[in-house]
Amino acid sequence: MVNELNGSVMKCVRDQNGNHVIQKCIECVPQDRIQCIVSSFFGQVVALSSHPYGCRVIQRVLEHCDDPNAQVVMDEIMNSVCTLAQDQYGNYVIQHVLQHGKLHERSAIINKLSGHIVIMSLQKFASNVVEKCMTYGSLEERQLLVKEILGSTDENEPLQEMMKDPFGNYVVQKVLETCDEQSRELILSRIKVHLAALKRYTYGKHIVSRVEKLITSGEKHIASSTSYRS
């Protein structure tokens, strides 16, 4: 069956029905028998990752291929991380690597996105990638991302902008959910200053609600620990 597909792989990948056959070949046929399929993707990985069906096929390659062919595919992905992160379909490929990839691959993606975190957080597709960075990054990597989100001045302009944004506010919520306690306390202290202003914004209200819950739970925790000690 694989031999019969030789020469028509790309046509099948871009087909609503054919892509499922290619996915099954990658999942079920031994790697040494699907060389002609995987090699068809070389030089086309970014285009396929940006395709509604192709992005699924690339994810199957990442899941089931661990020979040098898969490394070629991964190298092409790594050369276009920022582009794919912002793409309607490519963002799923980057999210897949962040969630299921090797430690050094995850770190490489976070490193490439570093410096663009705030801009990415304000975009519909890339904001999902930033959330995955916060979920699967190491403690040190998450701390670096938090530092970038807080900005370099006392006004914390990047954080303010994100909290009012329809996509950025979800990233801030994810940051509060995943960061270490020290970073959370720092962010909460910065957000508290802007709570009154945030209530005037549709998306800012989401942050206000989340922060008020965190403050309440924090006060309960302090009260119970004080009671326990006494």
Side-chain angles (χ1 to χ4, degrees):
M1 189 185 293
V2 172
N3 289 337
E4 287 293 327
L5 289 169
N6 196 5
S8 303
V9 172
M10 295 301 282
K11 181 181 178 182
C12 290
V13 168
R14 294 191 173 100
D15 182 80
Q16 184 176 1
N17 303 306
N19 82 90
H20 293 289
V21 175
I22 300 298
Q23 287 186 66
K24 282 298 177 188
C25 287
I26 295 167
E27 288 174 17
C28 303
V29 180
Q31 288 187 50
D32 60 342
R33 305 291 178 88
I34 57 170
Q35 173 72 33
C36 64
I37 290 179
V38 179
S39 62
S40 298
F41 307 151
F42 296 170
Q44 304 288 327
V45 174
V46 175
L48 288 173
S49 297
S50 306
H51 188 274
Y53 310 137
C55 71
R56 301 173 189 171
V57 173
I58 294 300
Q59 287 176 69
R60 298 298 84 75
V61 172
L62 296 177
E63 287 171 356
H64 297 280
C65 300
D66 55 10
D67 58 5
N69 288 336
Q71 190 57 52
V72 174
V73 171
M74 183 62 75
D75 288 345
E76 290 188 40
I77 291 170
M78 286 298 178
N79 286 333
S80 299
V81 168
C82 288
T83 301
L84 290 174
Q86 299 172 76
D87 184 79
Q88 183 177 2
Y89 302 107
N91 79 91
Y92 293 114
V93 173
I94 301 301
Q95 286 189 63
H96 188 279
V97 180
L98 284 167
Q99 187 168 351
H100 303 288
K102 298 180 178 68
L103 186 64
H104 72 272
E105 293 166 348
R106 191 180 305 142
S107 295
I109 287 177
I110 293 173
N111 184 56
K112 286 175 182 290
L113 294 176
S114 182
H116 310 284
I117 291 299
V118 177
I119 294 170
M120 295 282 185
S121 297
L122 305 180
Q123 297 179 18
K124 182 176 182 179
F125 307 117
S127 60
N128 294 303
V129 174
V130 177
E131 286 189 44
K132 280 288 193 294
C133 289
M134 289 303 306
T135 303
Y136 295 102
S138 68
L139 174 62
E140 292 77 15
E141 287 165 345
R142 291 200 301 270
Q143 287 174 337
L144 283 173
L145 298 184
V146 166
K147 187 176 180 182
E148 190 171 332
I149 289 167
L150 286 174
S152 56
T153 70
D154 292 338
E155 292 299 314
N156 309 122
E157 291 92 342
L159 178 63
Q160 284 193 62
E161 188 176 7
M162 287 170 64
M163 289 191 294
K164 299 170 189 174
D165 186 80
F167 310 115
N169 85 90
Y170 288 107
V171 175
V172 176
Q173 291 183 61
K174 181 60 71 174
V175 169
L176 289 170
E177 180 187 315
T178 56
C179 68
D180 61 285
E181 194 168 338
Q182 186 178 358
S183 295
R184 187 179 296 112
E185 289 303 317
L186 177 59
I187 295 167
L188 284 174
S189 69
R190 304 292 177 88
I191 293 176
K192 284 177 190 176
V193 178
H194 305 291
L195 277 184
L198 284 171
K199 290 178 180 178
R200 298 198 299 267
Y201 294 90
T202 302
Y203 301 105
K205 290 174 185 175
H206 298 321
I207 297 293
V208 172
S209 175
R210 174 60 69 93
V211 168
E212 286 176 343
K213 285 178 183 175
L214 284 169
I215 292 170
T216 303
S217 64
E219 287 171 349
K220 285 179 181 176
H221 174 71
I222 292 167
S224 64
S225 62
T226 303
S227 173
Y228 177 79
R229 283 197 299 272
S230 62

